[in-house]
Amino acid sequence: KRRRVSLEETEPVVSSENLPEGQTMYLNSMVIVRSQISCSVHAKRTLFQAVLLILAFAPQAFGNLISNGDFSDGVSGFTTDYQLGGTYPENSICVSSNPINCHPGAASYTDHTTGDGLMLNANGYTSPGKAVWRVVVTTVPGSTYVLSGWIASWGNPPQDGSPARLNLFTNGSQIGQTILAPGPTGQWVSFDREWTATTSVTTMQLVDENTWWNGNDFSLDDLSLTLATSPTPTLLVERVDCSALI
């Protein structure tokens, strides 16, 4: 007979193969439930059915999949190739409520989130390929994600003559077009880039492709990774002859 399957959250497991019957595994957008139909002497068919049911949940139910996207916790939740501290000289970052607190020649403005919070301020790297922000996240292959955020320029106010040009990379591959920081300083501009996961673990990083030392100074705030779509729910059924067990 069919056993009831509990949908209550349980201790996470590594894979569905070792998931006990009647338990669930939560993985970002999906819940995997393992159940079974037992052999019975009263059954007309002497077949065992092992059922693995994958239920897709509404993407918006999971919110932001990265931590500290608003930099309210300082430099935690991400790694960087830049030097930590102030934003002088080049190749450095500073988390602050105002870029002028990090560099005396910076434009003065507040964060995007609340106006009195924190933001990441960067003095662009003069060598190529250096990540200003990097995170490693758990992803579901086949699911589509969106990284969004806000960028502003702070160098040489009131106009940065050489604004930053950021690219998003996932597992080493560039996603979408280059993110252009605005020329006028202190103006927040939004961006978003959509991509489909191909692995269960994804490294995301933002890299400034502008390596010019004069200007190329920018701020980031309110970075968010959300689920746009998830794979179609799947039902897998394995049948084996269990006549010897009856």
Side-chain angles (χ1 to χ4, degrees):
K1 62 182 180 180
R2 186 180 298 273
R3 294 184 57 175
R4 290 179 176 270
V5 179
S6 171
L7 292 181
E8 296 180 357
E9 185 170 355
T10 60
E11 188 72 19
V13 294
V14 175
S15 67
S16 60
E17 283 74 15
N18 60 3
L19 184 66
E21 179 185 353
Q23 293 189 6
T24 61
M25 177 177 67
Y26 285 76
L27 182 61
N28 284 353
S29 64
M30 311 179 76
V31 171
I32 299 178
V33 182
R34 190 180 183 88
S35 63
Q36 75 173 28
I37 301 175
S38 303
C39 292
S40 170
V41 294
H42 303 292
K44 295 182 180 180
R45 297 180 179 179
T46 57
L47 293 175
F48 175 86
Q49 295 181 324
V51 181
L52 182 63
L53 180 62
I54 302 176
L55 303 175
F57 275 63
Q60 59 270 25
F62 295 88
N64 193 352
L65 301 176
I66 57 176
S67 61
N68 197 30
D70 61 0
F71 303 103
S72 58
D73 292 327
V75 294
S76 68
F78 69 98
T79 60
T80 180
D81 293 331
Y82 285 52
Q83 302 171 27
L84 301 177
T87 53
Y88 185 84
E90 293 74 27
N91 316 331
S92 57
I93 64 169
C94 169
V95 174
S96 175
S97 60
N98 193 316
I100 205 169
N101 297 332
C102 303
H103 192 294
S108 178
Y109 55 91
T110 59
D111 80 317
H112 175 266
T113 312
T114 62
D116 58 3
L118 301 178
M119 65 186 112
L120 184 151
N121 304 291
N123 193 332
Y125 223 104
T126 54
S127 298
K130 301 297 185 179
V132 64
W133 175 87
R134 181 190 298 111
V135 295
V136 179
V137 294
T138 300
T139 49
V140 179
S143 293
T144 300
Y145 296 84
V146 176
L147 178 73
S148 60
W150 294 78
I151 187 170
S153 298
W154 59 261
N156 300 328
Q159 183 80 23
D160 190 331
S162 183
R165 303 191 303 270
L166 272 59
N167 282 325
L168 169 65
F169 291 86
T170 63
N171 292 341
S173 298
Q174 182 177 332
I175 303 300
Q177 297 181 337
T178 299
I179 300 165
L180 302 178
T185 56
Q187 295 184 11
W188 288 106
V189 175
S190 65
F191 64 86
D192 60 77
R193 295 295 181 270
E194 183 178 290
W195 52 279
T196 300
T198 58
T199 59
S200 58
V201 177
T202 300
T203 299
M204 297 190 305
Q205 56 185 15
L206 290 171
V207 176
D208 183 11
E209 302 299 336
N210 184 0
T211 57
W212 185 240
W213 66 273
N214 190 12
N216 192 24
D217 306 314
F218 59 97
S219 304
L220 294 171
D221 203 7
D222 291 334
L223 301 181
S224 176
L225 179 67
T226 55
L227 187 67
T229 62
S230 58
T232 303
T234 305
L235 180 64
L236 304 176
V237 180
E238 178 187 0
R239 299 174 182 268
V240 293
D241 185 2
C242 63
S243 57
L245 301 178
I246 299 179

